[in-house]
Amino acid sequence: MSSAASSSAATLPGDPPGGRRAMAVWGIGVSVYFVAVIFRTSLGVAGLDAADRFHVNASALSTFSILQLLVYAGMQIPVGLLVDRLGTKKVLAIGTVLFTAGQLGFAFSPSYGTALASRALLGCGDAMTFISVLRLGTRWFPARRGPLVAQLAGLVGMTGNLVSTLVIARLLHGVGWTAAFAGSALAGVLVLVLMLLFLKDHPEGHEPEPFPHQGATYVRRQIAASWREPGTRLGLWVHFTTQFPAMVFLLLWGLPFLVQAQGLSRATAGELLTLVVLSNMVVGLVYGQIVARHHSARLPLALGTVGATALMWAATLAYPGEHAPMWLLVVLCAVLGACGPASMLGFDFARPANPPERQGTASGITNMGGFVASMTTLFLIGVLLDATGDNYSVAFSAVFFLQALGVSQILRLRGRVARRERERLVASRVETVHVPA
């Protein structure tokens, strides 16, 4: 979409005004997502401890994250429908209760089975946060701010990942498993109270138009209409292809790879995981500003990130020495930091392709992409590690297969999306010409 299309969208009647009130309300919603990410990624710094605590191998350990992501991905379309129907506040409240209960249950789980159930509950609640926050942003800010607001939400989420890396990791080895996870669950209670007291779905005077809901017919219509838009499908594949390399690294396999395969200490490995998060935050701000000004940059940024990620993984895994040099690992982690911001570009294809009453559903479809890819890669890496005797070079080669699949779909859909966006631009100009003064 061109910048002309962006400015046209920005002047539509009823566009929310933004401002300080919007930032305050949106900030409460984002704080819920922040806590959800802390809980989601807390296993990433506790992977080796979980293996010892529950006496499991690599495949069983990966099942924790796979199940959590399976629930998360499976919930995306239902959550999108719920957000479109019930509004942000109700869905966020349900999600907060669920992910807090899951984190608390994980703290006291006496066995592998109960720990799995707790992570599934956490994944269910976590699934309700990001789509709700995206919807909150579209209800409180002008359309022209959409890309930047979405990137800022992702940045805050990565700050939650940073808390996991720096705080929960230290708590885990300072006060122990139960105290660390149970103590962190208090953050869920805090944001639930704030949300119930102060969060509102939309500013006064910008209530959405009543939309009839007719049970299963409504559900089928929402999903079918969203999926028919090539922008929604392209958004899904952009999200699929860009997000998972960093997600897999941060969620579970980064620490074992750096410690066991690269011979680093836990402290040094933790610093490299922190670098991924910091890089994500910086790149997110840059990508958000670029796309807000030049929508045509979306696809080059996404494909460039995929290419850079593949190149750095290939260089690291194929390095001829016993361990890759530190400079190469630093560059790898810095590049992995771009994966999160690149995945947010998927929403910038889905958002303009769908009307306001379908934003939740379309965002849910898009958000499934990266989590399906992450879940698949987590499983493949665990299986390959067990099959090859912990050969990380072979196991992490699964990344290239998923990237190749995603890029092929992006290239297949890009022409259709460009045509549809040109058609919408022409239609909006015609409407502007015929609007009476």
Side-chain angles (χ1 to χ4, degrees), residues 173-403:
H173 299 108
V175 300
W177 178 282
T178 300
F181 282 101
S184 66
L186 295 176
V189 177
L190 175 61
V191 294
L192 177 63
V193 172
L194 288 174
M195 179 183 55
L196 292 177
L197 290 177
F198 302 112
L199 187 72
K200 291 189 175 182
D201 283 353
H202 46 73
E204 294 179 6
H206 291 270
E207 294 81 1
E209 294 182 6
F211 190 77
H213 304 298
Q214 300 173 355
T217 301
Y218 161 75
V219 170
R220 288 194 298 270
R221 184 171 59 245
Q222 286 285 91
I223 295 174
S226 298
W227 184 254
R228 276 197 300 270
E229 287 291 344
T232 304
R233 301 198 301 277
L234 180 59
L236 179 147
W237 284 109
V238 167
H239 200 270
F240 177 100
T241 314
T242 53
Q243 187 202 49
F244 78 92
M247 176 69 73
V248 167
F249 198 78
L250 290 171
L251 199 58
L252 184 61
W253 290 121
L255 189 68
F257 170 76
L258 295 171
V259 173
Q260 296 177 348
Q262 300 302 321
L264 302 181
S265 67
R266 280 178 177 245
T268 303
E271 291 171 358
L272 287 174
L273 293 178
T274 302
L275 175 61
V276 177
V277 177
L278 294 175
S279 173
N280 182 294
M281 296 167 69
V282 172
V283 175
L285 289 174
V286 174
Y287 279 17
Q289 292 286 356
I290 292 174
V291 175
R293 290 172 170 78
H294 309 285
H295 270 210
S296 60
R298 292 168 297 172
L299 205 55
L301 286 175
L303 292 175
T305 302
V306 174
T309 305
L311 178 63
M312 293 315 304
W313 264 122
T316 302
L317 298 178
Y319 191 79
E322 183 179 359
H323 302 306
M326 179 56 70
W327 68 264
L328 184 55
L329 295 176
V330 168
V331 176
L332 170 67
C333 291
V335 170
L336 286 175
C339 291
S343 73
M344 299 298 297
L345 299 172
F347 298 102
D348 292 321
F349 289 103
R351 187 185 305 111
N354 292 274
E357 65 269 16
R358 288 206 310 263
Q359 287 296 316
T361 306
S363 295
I365 293 172
T366 300
N367 207 33
M368 283 180 59
F371 290 93
V372 169
S374 297
M375 177 180 60
T376 303
T377 309
L378 284 167
F379 172 74
L380 290 175
I381 290 175
V383 170
L384 290 171
L385 284 174
D386 286 339
T388 61
D390 291 338
N391 187 324
Y392 280 88
S393 294
V394 174
F396 271 89
S397 64
V399 170
F400 305 119
F401 172 75
L402 272 293
Q403 285 183 321

Side-chain angles (χ1 to χ4, degrees), residues 14-22 138-145 202-206:
D15 213 21
R20 293 182 180 179
R21 177 92 188 280
T138 61
R139 290 299 188 191
W140 280 90
F141 292 96
R144 68 180 182 276
R145 299 294 185 193
H202 46 73
E204 294 179 6
H206 291 270

Side-chain angles (χ1 to χ4, degrees), residues 128-154:
M128 298 183 176
T129 58
F130 188 63
I131 300 303
S132 298
V133 170
L134 286 180
R135 168 66 172 255
L136 198 65
T138 61
R139 290 299 188 191
W140 280 90
F141 292 96
R144 68 180 182 276
R145 299 294 185 193
L148 182 58
V149 168
Q151 288 287 355
L152 287 173

